[in-house]
Amino acid sequence: MKLKIITHERIVFDGEADELVVHTTNGQIGILKDHIPITTSLEIGVAKAKIGDKYKYFAVMGGVFQFRDNNAVILTDVCEDSRDIDVTRANAAKERAEARLAEFDAQLDTQRAQAALARALARLQAALNK
């Protein structure tokens, strides 16, 4: 199948894949060639593409996934190839988010801190699988 991962700024990946796993708002799904057409929302998480006998990992920060006629498309605001992730920076972001969530503060925007933590964890998970 053909896989394209597109952000507002660039095409992150454009190539063939044998298998794809994405995190949707309804849970994780796997896609193989000739899968039925599907369009769904994506959660923050890691997309895993099997290419030959190797896997490529991408930190995907939400978006939309569409599969039709053996063409898989991920449209997202932010996506990082695991090879491009700065692990030190991702760990620092994770620690900051965890510290903010550990503080009891009525002013704290909990959803924002949880989203920051989810993004950092997705980056770390993708980077560890490169």
Side-chain angles (χ1 to χ4, degrees):
M1 75 179 112
K2 178 83 168 163
L3 171 61
K4 248 187 181 178
I5 303 175
I6 305 167
T7 70
H8 296 290
E9 298 174 351
R10 65 191 177 103
I11 296 174
V12 177
F13 182 82
D14 185 2
E16 294 294 318
D18 300 308
E19 177 184 337
L20 178 65
V21 178
V22 294
H23 290 273
T24 74
T25 53
N26 293 316
Q28 188 178 44
I29 62 170
I31 303 292
L32 296 170
K33 184 179 176 203
D34 298 326
H35 193 283
I36 63 169
I38 184 172
T39 300
T40 187
S41 299
L42 295 174
E43 287 283 342
I44 295 171
V46 176
K48 176 172 80 168
K50 184 176 183 189
I51 302 164
D53 60 347
K54 298 189 188 272
Y55 286 92
K56 284 188 69 71
Y57 297 88
F58 303 90
V60 178
M61 304 307 161
V64 176
F65 172 73
Q66 182 179 53
F67 184 83
R68 188 172 148 216
D69 299 328
N70 288 319
N71 288 295
V73 178
I74 294 174
L75 299 173
T76 181
D77 290 333
V78 177
C79 178
E80 296 174 65
D81 186 314
S82 63
R83 297 172 301 174
D84 300 332
I85 294 172
D86 181 339
V87 175
T88 303
R89 185 172 156 238
N91 270 319
K94 175 184 170 279
E95 290 170 8
R96 279 192 310 275
E98 288 173 338
R100 289 192 64 191
L101 288 169
E103 295 174 3
F104 180 76
D105 184 352
Q107 302 282 346
L108 176 68
D109 184 349
T110 304
Q111 287 181 334
R112 190 170 155 194
Q114 288 172 336
L117 179 58
R119 288 190 301 271
L121 290 173
R123 285 184 176 106
L124 289 170
Q125 185 180 6
L128 292 174
N129 287 303
K130 47 177 153 174

